[in-house]
Amino acid sequence: MTSDVETTFRVHAPGRVNLIGEHTDYTGGLAFPMAIDRGITLTATTTQGSIELTSADGPGQVHLRLPFHDDPSTVEPQWGSFIAGMAKELEATNGFRGHLVSDIPAGAGLSSSAALECAVGKALGFAGTALELAQTARRAEHSATGVPTGIMDQLCIATASAGHAALIDCRGLTVEQVPVPDDVDIVIRFVAHRTLRGSAYAERVAQCAAAEAEIGSLRTATLSQVATIGDETIRRRARHVVNENDRVRHFADALRRADYVHLGRLMTAGHASLRDDYETSTPKMNAAVDQLNATPGVFGARMTGGGFGGCLVAICEPGTIRHGWIVKASAGARVLPPNG
Ligand code: GLA
């Protein structure tokens, strides 16, 4: 969006909800997220040599001199670290002055940070492919947070297509857009704030690496190979990943057949695996998931996102659940038409 002539523009990037395929992306597994009709909209004017941004939701003002060479994680206010990460990755010299509004709660597991990174990439005139945008945004996330997250969030947000969920192969970095039927409700319910900084997320990444050092890629491992892992905790972590990749395959097939009962069972099994084998859920989250699963009209519910709090996602008969957000599969990060 940058040029010598000042122009005003708007960009939008959605949040995402992961339907299934949790903690599989950083071992080259399968994930199945969907961009939602909640997101970040940035309205700005191009400038040279700086980024100045205010937010309707975050404190303070972000002011960065370009090119940005410092450590993004030290930028204050903290939401500015994602912007700094993108500016640094893109070696931006032309910036913008503007304001952002968001209706994705931060710290809820709905990828507000990945949405911000992708929106800033668009605002800085990123001209590469959607995959390149996602890879750049992932590196920016790492430099902003120090958490070794996978590529699911950024790849979903960069590539999303309205009305579709994204079946992501994190080994080949390919995305298949699968239509989401409109005769079911996809409901997100907020349970608790969390941050992945300082959480056991990095420990889980290391535990998967330990499993792979013993039996090779978890993407291709079988359950009988998993059973040979000596350490009981590492064995359970690996079992989650192998089973979860399988659940994603079955979930995508069931979605194509509109077999909601089967979808629900897979979600519920996925949650049990996160709770027992991967241990990224919390008692409060488990209680909320159990309560929804016991509600007539709910096909299935599970925790969504990195865990340790955040949101749950449920698939329900239309109109069953009123407490929560009924979300629609939405388009990905984009520059909005001037009057759109
Ligand atoms: C966070 C990370 C993703 C992914 C999920 C867990 O959202 O950013 O890369 O690992 O957790 O599935």
Side-chain angles (χ1 to χ4, degrees):
M1 298 306 302
T2 48
S3 73
D4 290 346
V5 183
E6 279 202 353
T7 42
T8 296
F9 61 92
R10 289 188 311 139
V11 298
H12 178 82
R16 69 96 188 92
V17 62
N18 192 16
L19 299 176
I20 199 155
E22 217 67 86
H23 287 279
T24 51
D25 58 350
Y26 46 82
T27 47
L30 300 170
F32 202 23
M34 170 186 117
I36 59 175
D37 49 351
R38 287 182 159 256
I40 287 177
T41 303
L42 197 160
T43 306
T45 303
T46 52
T47 59
Q48 292 180 0
S50 67
I51 293 177
E52 288 171 47
L53 201 61
T54 52
S55 163
D57 313 284
Q61 177 176 14
V62 173
H63 182 90
L64 305 172
R65 289 176 75 99
L66 301 178
F68 184 85
H69 294 302
D70 297 336
D71 176 357
S73 70
T74 61
V75 168
E76 294 287 344
Q78 207 178 50
W79 57 273
S81 58
F82 302 105
I83 299 162
M86 283 305 278
K88 189 169 181 175
E89 284 297 329
L90 295 174
E91 299 175 3
T93 51
N94 290 327
F96 53 83
R97 178 178 62 243
H99 183 68
L100 63 87
V101 292
S102 168
D103 58 2
I104 324 169
L110 300 177
S111 293
S112 60
S113 58
L116 181 54
E117 291 146 14
C118 290
V120 168
K122 292 282 178 189
L124 289 173
F126 185 83
T129 63
L131 173 59
E132 288 162 351
L133 175 61
Q135 290 170 319
T136 306
R138 181 192 185 193
R139 288 195 300 272
E141 174 96 22
H142 289 180
S143 64
T145 65
V147 182
T149 43
I151 198 159
M152 165 176 70
D153 306 341
Q154 291 83 3
L155 196 49
C156 173
I157 290 168
T159 61
S161 160
H164 296 77
L167 177 54
I168 299 180
D169 179 336
C170 300
R171 181 174 57 183
L173 296 178
T174 55
V175 183
E176 185 190 342
Q177 303 292 344
V178 180
V180 176
D182 53 15
D183 60 350
V184 280
D185 281 353
I186 298 177
V187 178
I188 296 175
R189 189 179 281 182
F190 176 76
V191 176
H193 279 287
R194 63 98 174 104
T195 170
L196 294 182
R197 288 181 225 227
S199 76
Y201 186 100
E203 182 191 57
R204 293 296 178 277
V205 175
Q207 288 168 332
C208 285
E212 294 196 314
E214 232 174 300
I215 61 166
S217 165
L218 289 177
R219 172 62 186 271
T220 47
T222 60
L223 285 175
S224 32
Q225 286 173 308
V226 168
T228 66
I229 295 175
D231 182 90
E232 194 264 340
T233 303
I234 304 293
R235 195 161 62 234
R236 280 190 289 120
R237 305 297 188 246
R239 188 168 60 196
H240 164 76
V241 174
V242 171
N243 282 330
E244 186 78 349
N245 281 332
D246 214 36
R247 277 188 285 270
V248 176
R249 290 187 195 93
H250 289 296
F251 189 97
D253 289 345
L255 191 67
R256 291 189 190 97
R257 294 195 311 271
D259 182 347
Y260 304 135
V261 172
H262 193 50
L263 285 184
R265 283 202 197 110
L266 290 164
M267 291 175 84
T268 305
H271 183 79
S273 181
L274 289 170
R275 181 191 63 206
D276 302 334
D277 277 352
Y278 219 66
E279 295 181 280
T280 50
S281 189
T282 63
K284 188 173 177 187
M285 178 65 75
N286 297 336
V289 166
D290 289 348
Q291 189 227 326
L292 265 189
N293 274 327
T295 305
V298 174
F299 294 111
R302 58 181 288 279
M303 186 199 85
T304 186
F308 315 104
C311 288
L312 61 73
V313 59
I315 293 195
C316 323
E317 279 171 5
T320 312
I321 301 295
R322 303 205 180 278
H323 169 43
W325 304 311
I326 299 172
V327 289
K328 299 286 173 218
S330 298
R334 60 202 182 274
V335 178
L336 295 174
N339 303 311

